[in-house]
Amino acid sequence: MEDGSLVMACSSKVSDGQSFRTDTARVKAKAASVFRELKAKTMPIQPVRRFKTEFEQTFDQVTACDVDTNGMILIDPAVCVDCGRCEAACSKIQEMGILETTGTGVRPHGGLRLDETMCIGCGQCTSFCPTGSIQEVSHIERLYAAIAEGKTIVAQTAPAVRVSIGEECGVPAGEVSTGKMVAALKALGCNYVVDTDFTADLTIMEEGTELISRMQKKWAATPEQADKMGPMFTSCCPSWVNNVETRFPDYLDNLSTARSPMMMMGSVVKTYFARKMDIKPEDIFHFAVMPCTAKKGEIDRMQMVTGGMKVVDAVLTTRELGKLIRKHHIDFPALPNAEFDSPIGNSSGAGRLFGTTGGVMEAALRTAYEILAGKPLGTLSYTPARGLSGIKEASVEIPLKDGPTKTLRIGIASGISNANNMMHDIRAGRRRYDFVEVMACPGGCLGGGGQPKSLDPRILEKRQSAIYTDDERATQRKAHENPEIQQIYKEFFGEPNSHKAHELLHTAYAD
Ligand code: HC1
Ligand code: SF4
């Protein structure tokens, strides 16, 4: 009740003027303990294999003690029906081979705990589990607790979520639901909703500047030295970063030092935005809605602590947001469109492309080419980077504004099996690139492990074409033309790769 006391719904009389909260962490923990008592009393000698209800999943995570987790993925073999789908996703689609079905439930291979394996947290296994035996670690309770504490709630939403959240809430696949998504988050109690696409534009400014300076060194080097330098890799996909750290540590220096757009947004929210809105950073609860399960681990990386602060406090997957929208009976299709909050809510079409494989590359080329050549790339839609192929490559001829024409060799991999094959080829000298984009999930973030589960074989195509539409609808199509990006450099960062930008927008890796 409002006075903080817990009452039993089944045996309490209600009267006018009373109000009740049924969704606080305390109520849920109590409900979980009562349910466990009941379960213990009625548990048959042979455990019954059954599907978990959404309610059970939530409180199992509140009181979790008998499950295996690495902070991103959670395995509960007790409700596994040994269908083998998660194992196939891990070993056949991703070629990681982390899981095995044992006849008594799925487990990591070799008797290891999940955090002892080389699992990269991509979550593809969770997308195929029909019972909830393997799923993302829920952060929903963190949000409820922050709302109960009276924190200022700031949400950010990833590029791929706006083209898939509708699938969770009665909107046909392939529609862009940006305005309804923002409205739903406000209805759920968010004070501000800002856009990860804005910091995707910021990433282009930082990563693009890094690429240009690497290329200027490479073009000035001898062919042997240039070969030794290898390509620069994108760093926004946390599963890919986990993969390089564990499987290709000799390439850590080739990863861009730019933080992912999600982490850049965390830094921006707790510094620039907090100051603008006159809110103390410690009074902000900042969470991200992501199509990704590995992002739940990325927020805990010690290299991301900024000014002694954790900058992103929680990550909800698209599925978790869908669950909340349904649970709170929000009529998503009927919501009026709402706008992101300024001055970190505007994005160019380039930033919007991040949600698909090839999107970071296309976005980067729009800006880097223009800076190097002093004129725009001929076409805005760069066809070689488009589509859903697992490996794409091209050579871009750049007539330098102050010199000869140079070639930029680009590679794009999506799905970690494709990325690993590409890496083996790069190491063996069979492929040579200057700039490589990698996303660990098939199709990029639009096929992320936290996205809605779907039986539609064309689902990735539909989401991808929605992302291309979202780019075409943008007022600006290039990151450097986004007026809010120009404003944040003028007022706060100075220029790309400045000292302040390095402090707040770049990172290091674990070797
Ligand atoms: Fe992604 Fe990214 S594109 S990693 O795929 O660089 O998750 O959507 O948010 O951070 O912008 C995911 C998507 C996302 C980051 C951006
Ligand atoms: Fe395999 Fe990815 Fe699942 Fe880890 S998260 S077990 S790597 S599919």
Side-chain angles (χ1 to χ4, degrees), residues 156-161 196-201 203 235-238 259-264 289-293 295 298 351-356 360 439 444-446 448 451 467:
Q156 62 164 304
T157 59
V161 174
T196 319
D197 294 19
F198 165 81
T199 32
D201 280 341
T203 300
S235 54
C236 45
C237 168
R259 292 185 188 187
S260 72
M262 177 185 82
M263 296 310 302
M264 284 195 187
V289 187
M290 292 280 138
C292 174
T293 46
K295 292 272 175 202
E298 187 183 12
R352 297 176 189 193
L353 286 172
F354 269 53
T356 172
V360 181
M439 293 291 177
C445 289
L446 54 83
Q451 289 282 61
I467 285 180

Side-chain angles (χ1 to χ4, degrees), residues 195 197 201 339 345-352 366 380 467-484 486:
D195 198 358
D197 294 19
D201 280 341
E339 301 274 334
N346 188 63
S347 65
S348 76
R352 297 176 189 193
R366 286 183 192 175
L380 275 174
I467 285 180
Y468 292 146
T469 306
D470 203 23
D471 163 35
E472 279 155 25
R473 283 184 193 155
T475 314
Q476 297 88 28
R477 304 278 301 278
K478 301 169 195 163
H480 59 280
E481 290 178 355
N482 179 344
E484 289 188 351
Q486 292 166 353

Side-chain angles (χ1 to χ4, degrees), residues 424-501:
H424 294 308
D425 285 351
I426 289 173
R427 195 179 258 162
R430 291 188 293 269
R431 289 179 192 266
R432 287 187 171 78
Y433 301 117
D434 301 308
F435 186 32
V436 176
E437 176 205 294
V438 180
M439 293 291 177
C441 291
C445 289
L446 54 83
Q451 289 282 61
K453 299 181 187 184
S454 176
L455 296 172
D456 179 351
R458 292 192 51 230
I459 195 69
L460 299 188
E461 260 171 67
K462 289 179 183 173
R463 292 176 189 161
Q464 188 179 53
S465 102
I467 285 180
Y468 292 146
T469 306
D470 203 23
D471 163 35
E472 279 155 25
R473 283 184 193 155
T475 314
Q476 297 88 28
R477 304 278 301 278
K478 301 169 195 163
H480 59 280
E481 290 178 355
N482 179 344
E484 289 188 351
I485 289 289
Q486 292 166 353
Q487 184 185 350
I488 202 171
Y489 277 110
K490 194 159 157 230
E491 291 181 5
F492 195 65
F493 287 118
E495 58 185 11
N497 289 6
S498 66
H499 180 71
K500 193 168 204 160

Side-chain angles (χ1 to χ4, degrees), residues 248-265:
F248 301 100
D250 46 326
Y251 280 93
L252 280 175
D253 288 343
N254 293 68
L255 274 178
S256 162
T257 61
R259 292 185 188 187
S260 72
M262 177 185 82
M263 296 310 302
M264 284 195 187
M265 182 56 95

Side-chain angles (χ1 to χ4, degrees), residues 73 90 94 96 98-99 119-125:
I73 305 298
C90 187
Q94 297 294 64
M96 297 300 275
I98 303 293
L99 303 172
C119 166
I120 54 171
C122 68
Q124 287 299 313
C125 48

